[in-house]
Amino acid sequence: LADDMGLGKTIQVLALLLVRRRTHGLLPALLVVPASLVANWKAEAERFCPGLRIIVAHGASTSAAALAELRPADIDAADAVLTTYGSVGRVGWLAEREWGLVVLDEAQAMKNPGAKQTRATKALRARTRFALTGTPIENRLGDLWSLFDFLAPGLLGSAKQFGDAAKRMAQGDTDGYAPLRTLVGPYILRRLKTDKRVIS
């Protein structure tokens, strides 16, 4: 989900969690966000869907002792667990279990495929994966590859295969980047701020 900032990516995910809640027996969702956005996610959930059962698994919000005392049944009873990129590698049970849905907010944090945090996040086991970012490509095309390596591993080949293909496209193949746009287009939902009232 690559909507421009301020168009409601968080609200859309919370709505999805409410829809998922209607189906009993689904594994809980895992929301991975930058530490600076934990309070925002909590506030938005409390404001728009106070009935959602969300466990916060982040050191600044929950003590290490409280996190250690969580039982699998507690987690299974939740609709979602809210955590941070940094906590993914530190809180062991986040990586040990399978999630029904993993959502990465500000997913451009995954742009460096060699970073420890990126590797830990990509190792999460999930039946469905979403990435939220207003900037799917920040500085280089490799950012896009890293996002898709999380979302749909193998779709864009290995990092080397993708890099080689990107070089060929940049060197002026007649279609340019059109084949890449065609391949990733169905996976990217993007709305831009075009209404002047929203932009201002």
Side-chain angles (χ1 to χ4, degrees):
L1 183 59
D3 289 351
D4 277 354
M5 181 177 156
L7 292 182
K9 294 186 290 290
T10 303
I11 300 298
Q12 290 179 71
V13 170
L14 292 172
L16 174 63
L17 294 179
L18 286 173
V19 170
R20 289 181 85 249
R21 187 174 184 179
R22 293 183 195 151
T23 306
H24 298 290
L26 288 179
L27 294 171
L30 179 64
L31 309 172
V32 183
V33 308
S36 61
L37 294 182
V38 170
N40 181 66
W41 272 88
K42 285 171 57 178
E44 297 279 285
E46 289 165 7
R47 178 178 177 196
F48 293 107
C49 40
L52 275 180
R53 298 167 307 226
I54 297 180
I55 294 172
V56 179
H58 175 53
S61 303
T62 311
S63 70
L67 286 176
E69 290 173 7
L70 280 173
R71 298 166 299 147
D74 298 328
I75 299 161
D76 289 337
D79 296 305
V81 172
L82 176 62
T83 194
T84 64
Y85 286 98
S87 297
V88 168
R90 290 192 303 267
V91 180
W93 53 264
L94 292 172
E96 291 168 2
R97 62 177 296 134
E98 183 178 16
W99 300 96
L101 168 68
V102 171
V103 177
L104 305 184
D105 192 12
E106 300 296 342
Q108 66 273 13
M110 302 281 290
K111 66 184 179 183
N112 181 355
K116 183 178 179 182
Q117 163 180 296
T118 301
R119 292 195 313 269
T121 304
K122 287 183 179 182
L124 292 168
R125 293 182 298 134
R127 295 184 179 177
T128 306
R129 297 171 175 221
F130 280 105
L132 313 181
T133 177
T135 53
I137 300 175
E138 278 198 303
N139 299 311
R140 54 194 178 85
L141 213 46
D143 299 353
L144 185 71
W145 177 85
S146 191
L147 279 176
F148 272 88
D149 190 45
F150 166 78
L151 290 168
L155 180 72
L156 300 181
S158 69
K160 182 180 183 334
Q161 290 169 328
F162 181 76
D164 292 344
K167 283 179 189 169
R168 286 193 302 273
M169 287 184 268
Q171 289 170 352
D173 283 359
T174 54
D175 291 337
Y177 292 104
L180 178 59
R181 281 192 209 94
T182 300
L183 180 60
V184 301
Y187 299 93
I188 299 176
L189 302 175
R190 183 148 176 84
R191 293 179 302 157
L192 304 175
K193 290 180 182 171
T194 56
D195 186 326
K196 300 297 182 191
R197 294 168 297 174
V198 174
I199 294 171
S200 65

